[in-house]
Each structure stands twice: as structure tokens, then as C-alpha cells.
Amino acid sequence: GENVEQHPSTLSVQEGDSAVIKCTYSDSASNYFPWYKQELGKRPQLIIDIRSNVGEKKDQRIAVTLNKTAKHFSLHITETQPEDSAVYFCAATQPSGYSTLTFGKGTMLLVSP
Amino acid sequence: DSGVTQTPKHLITATGQRVTLRCSPRSGDLSVYWYQQSLDQGLQFLIQYYNGEERAKGNILERFSAQQFPDLHSELNLSSLELGDSALYFCASSEVESSYEQYFGPGTRLTVT
């Protein structure tokens, strides 16, 4: 089955800095890679996703890049703000009705004012 | 608000008991997924239903079962509860059969004493 590794487990940055979280996956058939943000005690929120037919996707201050050859994808947050502080999860899945999302272990991002 | 609802928000029960968690998907979504999130674990996939049929199974214990009803709401039944079952239980829904674009509900926090 799919295995998703996520690094780092914690990331501390100053407000205004950029943050990068990286994930690798094992199954070359995976073609959908979402990122979720989870604030303490809240639900995971889908913040951005990318499919394997594109290499990069941006939405305001967040972007995701995908390298299918190397089987890794990354989340980039620019101009970080204290409200970006949360746990971020990456995930991967295959295009099958019988496939499931496999999540990374999460990255706790702390943005200090 | 994702449009996915879960009840109850909190549940406190004793070991050996049985509980039922309920989830209503977003309007139009046919797939429902159940996840368990413990303090030291990421998001563990339990089971998926699509339009009333079981589609995929993850690390779901035999003491746990689920079903999806004709109106598409789903219930997760947990029986013979143990202390280790204490966790946040999330359901998510998506429009399609595959695992793309899952939107999470607010979760049910289960405490087993």
C-alpha cells in the first residue's frame, strides 16, 4: 500500500517568513495530493490540492509543487502570519474507487509574531 | 463550515459500553469516510461507504462497524469499548467514489473511562 512520509514534524518561523513542508510517497500510481490544515481541536480543512497532470498550483499565499519522478510534493506558505499556526497534513491517493487517502504524520507549524 | 455534520460533539462512556456516532455528508456527496485521530497518531482511515455500499476498509477493529443509509447519512458503531478507543472520530464526505476532495466534519470526541 501507499506510504507517505512528511517532514519536518515541527517548524517554527517568524511572522513574514516562508515555510516549506515536504512529503514523499511510495506508490507511483498515486495521482492526487491534498493538503489539510488542522487547528487545535478542529476539523482538518482542505487548503489546496494538486493532481499529477500539473507540477505546481498556487492559491494566494500558499502553493504546492509536485515532482512525480522523485515522488515528492511540497507545501509552500509565503508571508506567514500567526493564524497560519496549525498542524498541516499531506496525503496521497490513487484514482480508484477502492483507493483511500493515506496521510502523513503531520507538521506542527508555529508562527511567532 | 464544510457542510458535513457530526453528532454528538462529545461522548463520555465507560469501558465495555457501545456507542453510535452519526455523520451527515454534504449535500450531493455520495461517499462517506470515517477516520480516527488519537493524540499520538495522525489520521487513521477506518472505512469508506459510497452510495450505501462499503468501498474500502482500513485499520478498523472488528469491534467497530459502520453503515450508510439510503438518505446517505452514516453511523459508526463502536462496541466493547476500551480505554485506547478514546480519540477524535471524524467523518468526511466527497462527491465522487474516489478519495478526491474530502471535506471533514467537526468530529466527535470520544472519552472512554
Side-chain angles (χ1 to χ4, degrees):
Chain A
E2 176 67 276
N3 182 49
V4 176
E5 300 278 341
Q6 183 171 349
H7 300 280
S9 56
T10 59
L11 180 59
S12 294
V13 300
Q14 293 289 318
E15 183 177 1
D17 288 350
S18 294
V20 180
I21 302 170
K22 299 180 179 181
C23 289
T24 60
Y25 61 99
S26 61
D27 192 332
S28 57
S30 290
N31 73 336
Y32 174 69
F33 308 92
W35 286 88
Y36 286 84
K37 174 185 179 182
Q38 187 179 26
E39 296 175 9
L40 189 63
K42 302 282 183 67
R43 64 185 175 92
Q45 277 183 282
L46 178 63
I47 56 171
I48 195 167
D49 56 14
I50 192 168
R51 308 210 179 187
S52 59
N53 56 344
V54 298
E56 183 175 5
K57 184 177 178 180
K58 285 184 180 179
D59 183 3
Q60 299 181 343
R61 294 187 297 109
I62 61 174
V64 57
T65 58
L66 171 65
N67 183 326
K68 285 222 71 176
T69 303
K71 290 192 280 189
H72 68 71
F73 56 112
S74 301
L75 177 71
H76 305 253
I77 306 174
T78 58
E79 299 173 21
T80 54
Q81 301 167 4
E83 50 265 39
D84 294 329
S85 296
V87 178
Y88 292 80
F89 292 95
C90 64
T93 191
Q94 300 167 22
S96 160
Y98 296 88
S99 67
T100 63
L101 271 181
T102 301
F103 284 86
K105 295 276 188 204
T107 296
M108 180 176 290
L109 174 64
L110 299 170
V111 181
S112 304
Chain B
D1 185 3
S2 66
V4 180
T5 61
Q6 287 187 249
T7 56
K9 283 187 179 179
H10 302 278
L11 201 46
I12 301 174
T13 189
T15 54
Q17 295 298 305
R18 171 189 168 95
V19 297
T20 297
L21 313 183
R22 183 187 169 105
C23 168
S24 292
R26 295 185 316 162
S27 176
D29 284 359
L30 298 178
S31 277
V32 170
Y33 311 79
W34 286 97
Y35 292 89
Q36 180 192 58
Q37 187 176 42
S38 306
L39 272 176
D40 58 346
Q41 296 283 329
L43 285 156
Q44 301 289 318
F45 168 71
L46 296 178
I47 197 163
Q48 176 202 359
Y49 280 83
Y50 175 75
N51 204 20
E53 293 187 5
E54 184 183 302
R55 264 293 177 260
K57 247 181 177 176
N59 300 320
I60 188 166
L61 299 172
E62 284 191 11
R63 300 183 285 109
F64 296 180
S65 64
Q67 55 184 323
Q68 186 179 28
F69 295 86
D71 67 352
L72 301 177
H73 90 272
S74 178
E75 293 180 356
L76 178 67
N77 300 296
L78 314 177
S79 61
S80 303
L81 285 168
E82 302 175 359
L83 295 177
D85 297 327
S86 295
L88 261 173
Y89 290 85
F90 289 103
C91 83
S93 73
S94 69
E95 183 180 355
V96 296
E97 187 177 357
S98 67
S99 294
Y100 296 176
E101 294 186 43
Q102 293 184 30
Y103 293 90
F104 282 74
T108 293
R109 182 172 293 282
L110 173 66
T111 303
V112 182
T113 61

